[in-house]
C-alpha cells in the first residue's frame, strides 16, 4: 500500500512537471545573450577585446536601432559614430585594477564580427595601469547586468593572459569578478591559482548542467526515450548513443568547424520530440532506435553549442572549458535518468501505467508539435 502511494505520488509529480512545462510553450530555453572577452597584458597596458551581441548592446547603451535591412558597413559606422557613448556605457561596467588601483580605460576601436550568422559588436579597450607591470589584477564585469533590463541572461566567455598567468573563465550573473596575478608582496599565489582553476572548471560544469536542465526541449526528449525504454540495458544503449552524438556536434560547433543556423536546428529538435512521441505510441522502442537517437543527438549537440561563444584562440584552455561544459551536460542527463526511470519501472507494475504512459507521451508530443510550428513560423534568428 505504501509503495503504491509512493509510486502514485512520483507519477503525480512527473505529470505536474510535464503540465507545467506546457504552460509556457512559447520557448524551450531561457533567453540568453553571449559574448567573449580576450584579455592580454602588454607591460603596464591591458588590451581587452570584447565581443557582444550587436542589437543588445545598442539597446542597453541607448544608441537606438538601425533599420532591420541595414548593411554591415552601416552597422560598423554606427558603432564608430557612437564611440563616446559606448565608452561611457562601459566605464562603470567593465573595469580593470592593479593592486586595487583602477587602470585608465580608453575605447580604442570598434567594429563588427559574425559568428554562426549572428552579429556581434567588437570593442577594443586599452587599460593603462599604474606602477609596475606586476601585481594582482582585478577585472570586474557588469555588462548587461540586471540594471540594463535586457530581458535575458548574459554569459561572457573569458580567455586571459594576465598577471603572469593564463586561463579561461566565464562571467555571468553569479560571477562578476576575476582576480589573477601576484599578491601585493610579490609572491606567486599558487594555491589561489589552483583554486581559481578549479573554480573556473566548476563554472563551466555548472553552465552545462543548467543548460540541459533549463533546456526544456532536451529534457522532454530524454523523458520520451525513458518512457519508451524496455529496461536499464536499453536506457544505457540509448543514453550512450545520445551522449556520443551530441558530444561530437557540440565540439565541432564550438570549434567553428560546423555552422548550422539556429532557424534550422531548433525546428529539427522540436521534430525529434514529435517523432519519438509518435513512435512510442505507434510501435514502442524499435530495433533502430539507437541509430535514430544518434541522429537526433547530433541536432541536440548543435543546440547545446548555442550556449557557448568562445574566442578564436584555439588551445588547451578552450578544450578544457568545452570538456567541463560537456561534463555538466552529462551530469544533468544522468540526474534525469536516475530520477525518472526508476519511477517509471515502479509504475509499470500497476495496471494504470499503460494509460499514464500514453497520456504523458501525448502531452509531450503536443508540446513538441507546438514548438515545431512556432519555430517554423518564427522570423529568421528568432527560433
Amino acid at each position: 500500500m505504501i509503495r503504491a502511494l509512493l509510486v502514485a505520488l512520483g507519477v503525480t509529480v512527473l505529470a505536474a512537471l510535464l503540465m507545467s512545462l506546457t504552460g509556457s510553450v512559447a520557448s524551450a530555453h531561457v533567453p540568453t545573450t553571449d559574448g567573449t572577452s580576450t584579455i592580454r597584458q602588454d607591460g603596464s597596458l591591458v588590451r581587452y577585446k570584447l565581443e557582444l551581441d550587436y542589437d543588445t548592446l545598442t539597446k542597453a547603451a541607448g544608441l537606438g536601432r538601425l533599420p532591420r535591412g541595414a548593411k554591415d558597413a552601416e552597422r560598423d559606422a554606427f558603432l564608430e559614430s557612437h564611440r563616446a557613448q559606448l565608452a561611457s556605457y562601459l566605464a562603470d561596467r567593465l573595469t580593470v585594477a592593479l593592486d586595487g588601483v583602477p587602470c585608465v580605460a580608453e575605447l580604442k576601436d570598434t567594429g563588427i564580427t559574425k559568428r554562426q550568422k549572428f552579429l556581434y559588436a567588437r570593442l577594443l579597450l586599452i587599460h593603462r595601469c599604474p606602477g609596475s607591470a606586476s601585481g594582482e589584477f582585478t577585472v570586474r564585469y557588469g555588462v548587461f547586468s540586471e540594471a540594463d533590463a535586457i530581458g535575458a541572461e548574459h554569459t561572457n566567455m573569458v580567455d586571459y593572459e594576465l598577471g603572469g598567468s593564463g586561463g579561461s573563465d566565464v562571467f555571468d550573473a553569479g560571477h562578476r569578478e576575476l582576480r589573477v596575478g601576484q599578491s601585493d608582496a610579490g609572491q606567486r599565489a599558487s594555491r589561489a591559482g589552483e583554486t581559481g582553476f578549479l573554480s573556473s572548471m566548476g563554472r563551466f560544469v555548472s553552465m552545462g548542467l543548467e543548460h540541459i536542465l533549463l533546456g526544456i526541449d532536451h529534457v522532454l526528449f530524454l523523458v520520451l526515450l525513458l518512457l519508451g525504454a524496455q529496461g536499464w540495458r536499453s536506457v544505457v544503449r540509448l543514453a550512450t548513443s545520445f551522449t556520443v552524438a551530441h558530444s561530437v556536434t557540440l565540439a565541432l560547433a564550438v570549434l567553428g568547424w560546423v555552422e548550422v543556423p539556429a532557424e534550422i536546428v531548433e525546428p529539427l529538435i522540436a521534430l525529434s520530440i514529435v517523432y519519438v512521441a509518435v513512435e512510442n505510441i505507434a510501435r514502442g522502442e524499435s530495433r533502430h532506435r539507437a541509430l535514430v537517437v544518434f541522429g537526433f543527438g547530433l541536432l541536440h549537440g548543435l543546440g547545446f553549442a548555442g550556449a557557448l561563444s568562445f574566442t578564436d584562440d584555439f588551445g588547451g584552455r578552450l578544450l578544457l572549458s568545452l570538456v567541463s561544459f560537456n561534463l555538466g551536460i552529462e551530469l544533468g542527463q544522468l540526474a534525469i535518468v536516475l530520477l525518472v526511470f526508476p519511477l517509471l519501472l515502479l509504475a509499470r507494475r500497476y495496471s494504470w501505467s499503460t494509460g499514464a504512459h500514453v497520456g504523458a507521451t501525448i502531452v509531450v508530443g503536443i508540446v513538441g508539435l507546438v514548438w515545431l510550428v512556432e519555430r517554423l513560423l518564427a522570423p529568421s534568428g528568432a527560433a
Side-chain angles (χ1 to χ4, degrees), residues 17-315:
L17 174 62
L18 293 176
M19 292 303 294
S20 68
L21 296 178
T22 65
S24 178
V25 297
S27 66
H29 300 282
V30 177
T32 61
T33 68
D34 58 26
T36 63
S37 293
T38 306
I39 309 174
R40 297 290 184 266
Q41 181 186 356
D42 182 13
S44 61
L45 300 181
V46 175
R47 300 172 61 87
Y48 197 127
K49 187 174 77 172
L50 177 66
E51 293 185 2
L52 297 168
D53 179 82
Y54 185 97
D55 290 334
T56 306
L57 175 63
T58 56
K59 173 186 175 182
L63 307 186
R65 299 188 66 174
L66 285 170
R68 179 177 291 272
K71 297 180 180 179
D72 288 351
E74 294 174 306
R75 295 182 180 277
D76 194 350
F78 184 73
L79 287 181
E80 180 61 28
S81 66
H82 290 83
R83 186 190 292 191
Q85 197 168 344
L86 287 170
S88 177
Y89 171 77
L90 294 172
D92 298 328
R93 293 171 174 83
L94 199 165
T95 62
V96 177
L98 176 59
D99 290 333
V101 181
C103 303
V104 179
E106 177 186 1
L107 181 55
K108 197 70 173 179
D109 190 25
T110 65
I112 60 173
T113 188
K114 288 186 176 180
R115 295 179 185 273
Q116 296 186 348
K117 296 189 177 181
F118 287 98
L119 186 67
Y120 292 83
R122 186 182 68 252
L123 311 170
L124 176 61
L125 296 111
I126 303 296
H127 294 83
R128 291 177 169 80
C129 300
S132 65
S134 62
E136 183 183 59
F137 286 88
T138 303
V139 180
R140 292 188 174 90
Y141 185 90
V143 178
F144 297 167
S145 64
E146 294 80 1
D148 292 326
I150 64 172
E153 294 183 0
H154 175 64
T155 58
N156 189 284
M157 307 298 171
V158 185
D159 183 275
Y160 65 87
E161 292 179 5
L162 193 63
S165 63
S168 296
D169 212 322
V170 56
F171 290 128
D172 56 24
H175 177 62
R176 299 282 189 180
E177 185 175 279
L178 173 67
R179 290 178 180 269
V180 292
Q182 297 174 337
S183 65
D184 293 336
Q187 300 295 322
R188 178 72 58 192
S190 58
R191 184 172 301 175
E194 292 173 3
T195 303
F197 170 78
L198 294 175
S199 178
S200 175
M201 282 189 61
R203 279 189 286 275
F204 281 103
V205 170
S206 177
M207 280 184 61
L209 186 63
E210 290 178 3
H211 192 66
I212 187 169
L213 294 181
L214 297 180
I216 302 173
D217 46 5
H218 305 305
V219 173
L220 292 188
F221 181 77
L222 286 172
V223 168
L224 282 175
L225 293 181
L226 296 175
L227 283 169
Q230 299 302 312
W232 280 109
R233 181 177 298 180
S234 175
V235 169
V236 171
R237 183 174 66 253
L238 295 176
T240 300
S241 180
F242 184 66
T243 297
V244 172
H246 75 64
S247 297
V248 168
T249 47
L250 170 63
L252 292 177
V254 168
L255 296 175
W257 296 343
V258 171
E259 290 190 10
V260 182
E263 53 265 31
I264 294 177
V265 172
E266 294 297 331
L268 290 177
I269 288 177
L271 179 62
S272 72
I273 295 174
V274 176
Y275 178 90
V276 176
V278 171
E279 188 178 58
N280 276 359
I281 295 175
R283 59 178 179 177
E285 183 181 351
S286 67
R287 293 183 303 169
H288 306 293
R289 171 158 286 194
L291 184 59
V292 172
V293 169
F294 184 86
F296 285 137
L298 296 175
L299 295 171
H300 283 258
L302 295 173
F304 292 142
L308 299 177
S309 179
F310 287 107
T311 68
D312 293 327
D313 296 332
F314 175 80

Side-chain angles (χ1 to χ4, degrees), residues 306-364:
L308 299 177
S309 179
F310 287 107
T311 68
D312 293 327
D313 296 332
F314 175 80
R317 294 198 293 266
L318 185 151
L319 290 176
L320 181 61
S321 301
L322 174 60
V323 169
S324 300
F325 179 81
N326 198 44
L327 176 60
I329 291 176
E330 306 316 326
L331 290 175
Q333 179 176 300
L334 180 62
I336 294 169
V337 170
L338 294 180
L339 174 65
V340 175
F341 197 62
L343 289 175
L344 294 177
L345 289 179
L346 288 174
R348 288 174 186 177
R349 299 181 180 182
Y350 300 92
S351 58
W352 47 261
S353 64
T354 301
H357 168 279
V358 173
T361 301
I362 291 175
V363 169
V364 176

